[in-house]
Amino acid sequence: MFRLLFRKKLRYCYLIAIFITTLLLTVTPAVYSAETFPPIQSQALPPQPTREFRGAWIATVANIDWPSRPGLTSSQQQAELIAMLDRAASLKLNAVILQVRPAADALYASAYEPWSEFLTGEMGKAPSPNYDPLAFAVDEAHKRGIELHAWFNPYRARHAQSKSAVAANHVSKAHPDWVKKYGKYLWLDPGETEVQDYTVNVIMDVVKRYDIDGVHLDDYFYPYPEQNGSRTIDFPDASSWQKYQKTGGKLSRDDWRRENINTLVQHLYQAIKQEKPWVKFGISPFGIWRPGYPAQTKSLNGGGSFDAYNQLYADSRQWLINGWLDYFSPQLYWRIDKAQQSYPVLLNWWIQQNQQGRHIWPGNYTSRVGDRSSAAWPANEIISQIRSTRNSAGSTGNIHYSMKPIMQNRDRISNLLEKEAYSTPALIPASPWLDKTQPAQPTLNVERDTTTGKINKLTWQSPAPEKAWLWVMQTKTGNQWNTTILPGSQTSYLFNSANSPAKIDSVAISAVNRYGTQGQPALGG
C-alpha cells in the first residue's frame, strides 16, 4: 500500500514538472541551452588552416610611412598607426615590421639613445603628451592578432635628411671615437668591438622590456658605397683595422669586415634565444648574394654593378647556411620578367641555400606600384610575385615594402591583395627548431537558441596557465569549413546574421602559442 501511494505521488510530481517546463518555454522565447564539450572528441577534425607569413614594413626614417611628418601630436601619431594596423587586419596580414631605431635614435623610451627627430621634429624630445610608441604599437597589434617585429638599423648613426640639433646623449657625442662620417651620413664603425656590444645591448634592451614578436635587421651593414666623382670612397675604419692587426689578426681587410658583421649576427641571435626564445630574429639583406649566383644574375644597384658581399661586407648566405636567424627575407626588388635579376630565379636560388630549414619570406617592392615614374610597376606584378612564392616549395610568405602604397591603395593594390591574394586568413608558419610543444586543448562551451537550435555563442578556456597567442575558430556548415583567427585575449564569440548567415553544424577551437604551434582542437556541434 505504501509503495502504491509513493508511486502515485512520484507520477503526480513528474506531471507538474513537465507542465512548469512547458510553461517556461512558452513564455520565454530567448532561452539558450548550453553544452560543455570536453577536450577529447570523436567528431571529424577540421582541416589545417593556411600557413603563410603576410607582413609589411612600416618605415619611420625620413617619415616614409609613419608618422606622416615629424611633430604630430601623440593622438595624431596614434591615429595614423591605428589606421595602418586596421588596414593590415582587414587585408588579413599577420605581421608588421616597425622601424624603431632608424639612426642610433629611438621611437620608444630608451635609456641608451635619444628620441628620434622623425617622431617629434627634435632629436631627444619626447612625444607630447608623453607615451611610448613601441608599447602602444605592440598592444594595438596584438589586439588584432598581428605580430609586431621591431626593426633596427644596426650601424647608421645619422641620416642625410636629419635636420635638428644632435642630442647630448646621442652616440656621436657620447662616443665620438666610435662614429665615422661617410658621405652625408654618420656611421658606427662595425670594426670596433665596443660598437658591436653596444648594438647588441640596445636591441636586447627592447627584447627584455617589450612584448615584441621579432627582431629585424635590414640591408644596411657597412654602408652603401659613396662616390667622389668616379672614385669610390672607402669606409674610414683605419683605426679599428689597425687595432685588429695589432692583436695578431690574420684576416684580409675585406674578410675582417665581413667577420665583424658575422659576429654581430651570431651574437645577437644567441642573445635573443637566451632571453626570449620565441622572439624570432630575421634579416632582409640585399636580394642578390653575389653577381653570378645564380649564373645568369647580374647585380645592379642604381644603374651600376654592385656586389653586397664585397661592398656591404654582408655574407648573407653564410647566416642562412649556419642558421643564425629564424627567417630570411632577401629584398627581391626586381620583376619576374627581369632576366638578369628574375624574382623567381633568385628566390629558388635562396631556397637551395637554406640547409637549416629556416623560413624564407622574400621582400617585395610594393612601393614600386603606382610610384608616378617610368619605372612604376602594375599592381598585378606583386600579385604574380606572391603566386610565384607560393609555387616555390620552401618559401612560405612575403613582406611588402612598404605600408604607404597599401594605405594609398595605389593602382588598386589593396583591393587586389584582398580579393586575389589574401581572401582567407593565415597563421604564420611555426618554428619547430625553437619549440615543438603543443599548447593545451581548450574546453569549449556552446550556447544554442532553444527554439531554433542554432548556435548563438561560443565560450572557451584553456586549462594551462600559459596564455594562448591566438585562437583558431573553425565552423562547419554542410561540408564546408570556415576559419577565423582570433587574438589570444578573446575567449568568446557571438554569432549573428552578419557573421553567420547559415546554420552552423560543427565548431572547433584550438590554441596557437608564441612559436606558432597549434594544439588539438576542442569540437562541438
Side-chain angles (χ1 to χ4, degrees):
M1 183 64 146
F2 177 77
R3 291 180 181 175
L4 181 60
L5 288 173
F6 183 69
R7 288 175 182 169
K8 286 181 179 180
K9 287 181 180 180
L10 283 177
R11 190 180 300 115
Y12 179 71
C13 293
Y14 178 70
L15 291 172
I16 290 175
I18 291 175
F19 173 76
I20 292 173
T21 302
T22 303
L23 180 63
L24 287 172
L25 289 174
T26 302
V27 299
T28 314
V31 170
Y32 305 108
S33 64
E35 302 167 85
T36 301
F37 292 87
I40 299 175
Q41 299 291 322
S42 60
Q43 295 107 310
L45 293 175
Q48 292 293 310
T50 300
R51 291 278 188 168
E52 184 175 51
F53 190 87
R54 300 172 180 174
W57 281 288
I58 299 178
T60 59
V61 65
N63 300 103
I64 292 173
D65 288 308
W66 180 82
S68 59
R69 58 183 175 84
L72 295 178
T73 66
S74 296
S75 59
Q76 289 171 326
Q77 293 170 6
Q78 291 171 356
E80 287 188 351
L81 193 55
I82 285 174
M84 290 184 179
L85 294 172
D86 283 344
R87 178 65 60 86
S90 69
L91 293 178
K92 300 180 180 63
L93 303 185
N94 48 32
V96 292
I97 301 170
L98 175 65
Q99 190 175 34
V100 300
R101 190 206 193 211
D105 51 2
L107 282 94
Y108 59 93
S110 172
Y112 286 89
E113 296 181 322
W115 286 101
S116 175
E117 72 173 271
F118 301 124
L119 186 70
T120 62
E122 180 182 335
M123 185 188 292
K125 181 181 177 181
S128 180
N130 197 3
Y131 80 110
D132 191 318
L134 179 53
F136 177 82
V138 169
D139 185 52
E140 292 295 327
H142 287 183
K143 286 179 183 178
R144 293 159 176 80
I146 294 173
E147 287 194 354
L148 191 291
H149 295 217
W151 165 16
F152 300 83
N153 189 293
Y155 294 119
R156 186 168 57 207
R158 189 159 172 83
H159 193 269
Q161 294 191 31
S162 298
K163 298 176 182 178
S164 77
V166 177
N169 63 332
H170 188 256
V171 67
S172 62
K173 289 193 172 182
H175 298 282
D177 52 320
W178 295 354
V179 179
K180 309 298 179 184
K181 182 173 175 55
Y182 187 66
K184 297 179 181 180
Y185 296 80
L186 294 182
W187 218 263
L188 288 162
D189 182 357
E192 297 284 358
T193 56
E194 293 90 347
V195 167
Q196 296 176 20
D197 293 340
Y198 174 74
T199 301
V200 171
N201 289 339
V202 166
I203 295 173
M204 289 308 300
D205 172 57
V206 171
V207 173
K208 292 173 183 178
R209 293 193 296 119
Y210 295 88
D211 191 24
I212 60 173
D213 304 284
V215 167
H216 186 92
L217 304 184
D218 54 27
D219 56 318
Y220 289 90
F221 295 98
Y222 280 83
Y224 280 84
E226 297 280 349
Q227 299 292 129
N228 183 7
S230 59
R231 183 179 65 86
T232 299
I233 304 171
D234 195 24
F235 185 73
D237 57 358
S239 59
S240 55
W241 166 241
Q242 289 169 5
K243 287 180 186 178
Y244 169 75
Q245 289 180 308
K246 288 179 180 178
T247 61
K250 302 298 182 183
L251 295 174
S252 69
R253 195 164 185 173
D254 284 2
D255 286 340
W256 166 75
R257 285 172 171 171
R258 277 184 286 272
E259 190 57 26
N260 292 332
I261 305 303
N262 292 342
T263 299
L264 174 79
V265 170
Q266 186 178 16
H267 287 180
L268 183 55
Y269 186 67
Q270 291 170 344
I272 293 169
K273 296 311 158 193
Q274 184 175 356
E275 182 67 30
K276 291 181 179 178
W278 61 88
V279 172
K280 290 184 280 291
F281 178 44
I283 305 180
S284 56
F286 188 77
I288 298 171
W289 176 57
R290 302 200 69 182
Y293 296 87
Q296 73 268 40
T297 300
K298 294 183 179 180
S299 182
L300 299 176
N301 181 54
S305 179
F306 181 72
D307 185 347
Y309 179 87
N310 273 336
Q311 292 172 282
L312 302 184
Y313 304 98
D315 190 357
S316 51
R317 179 175 176 268
Q318 182 173 338
W319 314 332
L320 183 61
I321 288 175
N322 290 335
W324 293 342
L325 38 68
D326 300 305
Y327 69 93
F328 189 78
S329 302
Q331 297 176 18
L332 302 187
Y333 291 172
W334 300 275
R335 293 180 59 153
I336 291 173
D337 61 3
K338 187 81 170 175
Q340 294 178 344
Q341 301 91 25
S342 172
Y343 177 92
V345 172
L346 287 168
L347 175 57
N348 284 308
W349 185 85
W350 281 115
I351 291 170
Q352 292 168 12
Q353 314 311 307
N354 188 21
Q355 299 176 10
Q356 300 291 335
R358 299 304 195 239
H359 299 302
I360 303 288
W361 300 328
N364 302 81
Y365 205 174
T366 309
S367 289
R368 190 62 90 187
V369 172
D371 70 353
R372 299 181 182 179
S373 76
S374 59
W377 293 357
N380 274 323
E381 173 68 25
I382 299 299
I383 304 301
S384 296
Q385 290 185 2
I386 293 171
R387 290 172 180 158
S388 178
T389 302
R390 291 171 176 170
N391 290 332
S392 300
S395 183
T396 55
N398 293 88
I399 308 177
H400 298 275
Y401 182 81
S402 61
M403 275 300 295
K404 179 177 283 188
I406 293 173
M407 295 301 294
Q408 295 175 344
N409 197 20
R410 294 183 196 165
D411 196 21
R412 299 183 65 253
I413 181 62
S414 292
N415 300 107
L416 288 173
L417 287 172
E418 183 175 20
K419 182 180 178 181
E420 299 189 24
Y422 303 143
S423 59
T424 57
L427 290 176
I428 290 175
S431 302
W433 57 89
L434 299 180
D435 192 279
K436 295 181 180 180
T437 306
Q438 284 194 350
Q441 197 175 35
T443 299
L444 173 63
N445 186 66
V446 178
E447 294 185 14
R448 295 179 180 272
D449 186 300
T450 54
T451 302
T452 64
K454 186 175 180 179
I455 295 175
N456 283 345
K457 185 180 181 181
L458 304 179
T459 55
W460 58 90
Q461 61 182 356
S462 173
E466 296 83 8
K467 288 178 60 178
W469 157 234
L470 297 171
W471 298 104
V472 178
M473 182 184 76
Q474 294 174 283
T475 60
K476 184 181 181 184
T477 300
N479 294 321
Q480 181 68 42
W481 283 96
N482 292 307
T483 298
T484 303
I485 298 173
L486 303 171
S489 58
Q490 185 171 343
T491 55
S492 66
Y493 193 88
L494 187 64
F495 293 99
N496 55 46
S497 57
N499 61 30
S500 180
K503 184 177 179 181
I504 296 170
D505 299 318
S506 303
V507 294
I509 295 287
S510 55
V512 179
N513 64 20
R514 297 297 287 270
Y515 299 96
T517 307
Q518 183 183 8
Q520 290 298 312
L523 303 175

